[in-house]
Amino acid sequence: MSASAVLCLFPCLLVPVLNLELNIVHQNDIHSRFVPAAGNGGRCKEGLACYGGFARIKAYIDEVKSTEKNVLNLNAGDNYQGTVWYTLYKGPLLAFVANTLDYDAMALGNHEFDDGPAGLRPFLKAVEFPVLAANVNATAEPLINGLFLPYVVVNVDGRHVGIIGFLTPDTESLANPGPTIKFEDEVTVLNKTAQFLTRQGVDIIIALGHSGWETDVDIAEMVPNIDVVVGGHTNEFLYNGVPPDPEDVAELDGPYPTVVKNLVTGDKVPVVQCFKRGKYICRLRVKFDEKGKAVFWEGQPVILGPDRPSGDVLLADVLSVIPFENRIYFVDLKGSTIKKILEFSVSNHFNQGGGFLQVSGFRIVYDLLRPKNQRLISVEARCKRCSLTDDQYESVEDDKIYTVAMSKFLYKGGDFYSMIEEEAVSFVDSGNSIEDDPITDTASAKPRHPDFEFLIPFIRFMRDGIDYGNLERRIVYISQHPPQEHDPIPSSRRRRRR
């Protein structure tokens, strides 16, 4: 069965309504893993089991479509970023590959906005399937206005199935959408859109989006007309029984699907995500009665791997550790601002979704048992007057100016570090991105700076999970037991971002 898209209003036809069995194949947060990757998302190496890759995804989709009917192939966003494939070739290559996967719909992810509307436009122009985000308003942005939709309606075996897209408003801080893109609350917009589709005769509605697990559950609980939620962003690993890869046992978040009771109607709503980086592809079977209510569901993620790895520490490894390509800024900051930045970094240490800062050129001591905004015990900066090979540090003084290299993403307030741009004395755009750095040879190349000497074992540690034993201790915790605390991230609902 090929699901055909209906992109406009349609008359409500008086035809016999039959029960429907729907097979939903879905993924999220693939992050440009074009080829198989190691279990931790890094580049394949000899001796490591490797997973995913678009060729395996394509083979599985083709297999399901050849053996099952009523198949919907959905993608819940964040296909941009994460490997050298995206860094070098961007959206056009991703669109080319995605078109071969025969998607019925794809939601926008926050990383799709990392390169701004200009970086998203080539992808949206090239794809041959609908891209969805009902709560994103781009009417004031001519580059992408009209290139994505709030929803799509597909005809599945004579039944109208609506798919509504949504995206976290945190994209404003997590990416670079620019001032012309406006975001609305997901639950509010989904409720209005679902009511509209219901009035048009659509009695089965899927919410497909990228806002994180807590929002997925909110939608299932609070929007009466939503029958299934397919999400992403927080990379939930839902699995029944023991995962096939022992390394994934610690990642388990709950059963697949997780069933949530709608607080308005009392209906049960299956909610799913499919982990991350294309390691698994997920399949959900749902049976609907003649009224469009889900009456039966079952499913399980399917692991895609392993494959034969090869290679050594190259640029691809660096980009897997620090994957989100960005221009490097040199920013002049007062010592008092640096301390404020570090306090914010550690304020949410136990509920982090990627915002805890990794540093070079600083030595920091934190006390994690102290109250928030009082955890920074000391911070020292590398001696600016000293030679590159010296290992001398000096205490950071409040009124002294320090030049700090950072990504444009961080300077512009990414991960909620708004104080950087607000309090910066000055900044210079270096004109370079991380792929311009000469880290293209193997670890045998002799580095010229102590920080570079730290980088190679750090990359190996992140890639292989092996403790090389001699990593420089730049951040020291004098106590590590997490206190009971609330998440300080300024958001209407707390979301984990990975």
Side-chain angles (χ1 to χ4, degrees):
M1 191 282 302
S2 176
S4 57
V6 182
L7 304 182
C8 57
L9 297 182
F10 50 90
C12 299
L13 302 177
L14 297 177
V15 296
V17 179
L18 303 176
N19 294 345
L20 177 69
E21 180 178 296
L22 193 59
N23 289 285
I24 300 172
V25 176
H26 65 99
Q27 286 184 300
N28 53 272
D29 298 270
I30 295 175
H31 283 300
S32 296
R33 264 53 182 195
F34 283 76
V35 297
N40 63 2
R43 190 170 56 89
C44 282
K45 286 183 63 67
E46 187 174 356
L48 294 179
C50 292
Y51 305 90
F54 282 122
R56 285 183 168 168
I57 294 171
K58 170 66 172 173
Y60 182 82
I61 292 169
D62 288 347
E63 176 187 338
V64 173
K65 289 195 171 186
S66 67
T67 58
E68 301 286 350
K69 65 176 184 177
N70 303 339
V71 177
L72 284 181
N73 183 20
L74 305 179
N75 183 300
D78 262 13
N79 298 285
Y80 271 35
Q81 296 284 21
T83 69
V84 67
W85 292 94
Y86 177 80
T87 303
L88 297 179
Y89 302 111
K90 304 292 184 181
L93 177 62
L94 187 61
F96 173 81
V97 175
N99 283 337
T100 69
L101 300 182
D102 196 22
Y103 286 120
D104 291 288
M106 174 184 289
L108 284 174
N110 54 287
H111 282 295
E112 271 72 272
F113 284 96
D114 278 0
D115 293 321
L120 180 55
R121 176 181 172 84
F123 176 79
L124 294 178
K125 291 278 288 183
V127 293
E128 300 168 355
F129 49 82
V131 178
L132 310 178
N135 66 315
V136 179
N137 186 336
T139 54
E141 179 47 72
L143 287 175
I144 61 173
N145 182 37
L147 296 183
F148 64 93
L149 302 168
Y151 65 88
V152 66
V153 177
V154 297
N155 187 308
V156 182
D157 203 19
R159 298 285 293 273
H160 291 133
V161 178
I163 307 169
I164 307 174
F166 62 94
L167 173 59
T168 173
D170 286 351
T171 300
E172 291 180 332
S173 295
L174 297 175
N176 185 34
T180 57
I181 307 295
K182 304 301 179 183
F183 297 84
E184 300 178 68
D185 178 75
E186 304 98 311
V187 170
T188 301
V189 172
L190 279 166
N191 196 31
K192 293 179 180 178
T193 308
Q195 288 183 25
F196 169 77
L197 291 177
T198 300
R199 290 195 299 269
Q200 302 301 315
V202 179
D203 61 355
I204 298 173
I205 300 178
I206 299 169
L208 173 68
H210 196 88
S211 289
W213 184 253
E214 293 191 6
T215 301
D216 295 345
V217 172
D218 285 349
I219 292 168
E221 288 182 339
M222 301 168 63
V223 183
N225 298 305
I226 297 296
D227 300 295
V228 178
V229 180
V230 178
H233 189 51
T234 49
N235 309 331
E236 304 299 313
F237 183 43
L238 309 178
Y239 199 88
N240 304 314
V242 179
D245 184 355
E247 292 186 1
D248 296 334
V249 173
E251 300 276 0
L252 267 175
D253 292 303
Y256 183 99
T258 294
V259 180
V260 176
K261 182 179 179 180
N262 186 274
L263 301 180
V264 180
T265 64
D267 293 336
K268 293 181 179 180
V269 181
V271 182
V272 293
Q273 288 193 23
C274 195
F275 204 30
K276 57 187 174 183
R277 304 178 186 136
K279 183 173 184 177
Y280 293 81
I281 191 167
C282 294
R283 178 176 171 184
L284 176 67
R285 185 193 310 271
V286 186
K287 293 182 180 180
F288 298 90
D289 65 16
E290 66 279 0
K291 296 180 179 179
K293 301 300 180 184
V295 295
F296 173 83
W297 44 81
E298 65 178 3
Q300 184 78 305
V302 176
I303 196 166
L304 298 177
D307 196 14
R308 184 177 62 84
S310 61
D312 205 329
V313 179
L314 303 176
L315 176 60
D317 293 312
V318 179
L319 294 172
S320 291
V321 175
I322 315 170
F324 305 126
E325 181 269 333
N326 230 308
R327 295 175 76 87
I328 298 171
Y329 278 22
F330 296 111
V331 185
D332 288 338
L333 297 168
K334 283 188 173 183
S336 57
T337 302
I338 290 173
K339 293 177 182 179
K340 183 183 297 186
I341 293 166
L342 296 175
E343 282 284 13
F344 182 79
S345 173
V346 79
S347 67
N348 195 38
H349 180 76
F350 301 107
N351 296 314
Q352 274 300 322
F356 182 74
L357 295 180
Q358 305 299 317
V359 301
S360 170
F362 288 109
R363 284 180 175 170
I364 305 163
V365 177
Y366 291 125
D367 184 348
L368 301 183
L369 289 184
R370 297 181 65 171
K372 291 178 182 178
N373 301 317
Q374 299 179 36
R375 293 177 178 169
L376 179 64
I377 303 302
S378 66
V379 54
E380 296 176 319
R382 186 184 297 279
C383 172
K384 189 174 183 179
R385 302 181 304 276
C386 305
S387 69
L388 287 177
T389 57
D390 286 338
D391 195 28
Q392 298 182 31
Y393 287 77
E394 300 174 339
S395 294
V396 171
E397 302 174 15
D398 285 352
D399 294 326
K400 190 174 180 179
I401 305 299
Y402 300 84
T403 301
V404 182
M406 65 183 68
S407 67
K408 178 182 177 182
F409 168 81
L410 195 62
Y411 175 77
K412 288 293 185 179
D415 282 326
F416 306 101
Y417 284 92
S418 59
M419 76 290 289
I420 297 179
E421 185 174 19
E422 292 171 356
E423 300 185 18
V425 176
S426 62
F427 80 93
V428 175
D429 184 346
S430 71
N432 294 322
S433 298
I434 189 170
E435 72 270 22
D436 299 319
D437 197 282
I439 310 174
T440 56
D441 210 340
T442 67
S444 61
K446 178 63 178 175
R448 295 175 297 171
H449 193 283
D451 287 339
F452 199 119
E453 291 178 352
F454 171 77
L455 178 62
I456 293 300
F458 174 72
I459 293 170
R460 287 174 172 169
F461 175 77
M462 293 295 290
R463 184 198 62 200
D464 302 339
I466 300 173
D467 186 355
Y468 281 76
N470 59 356
L471 302 189
E472 178 180 324
R473 300 296 181 181
R474 295 201 175 104
I475 300 174
V476 177
Y477 305 107
I478 63 176
S479 53
Q480 301 189 51
H481 297 289
Q484 297 298 316
E485 57 185 30
H486 296 290
D487 191 332
I489 292 178
S491 176
S492 58
R493 284 180 297 274
R494 181 164 59 87
R495 303 172 173 92
R496 284 189 296 145
R497 182 180 65 86
R498 297 179 183 171

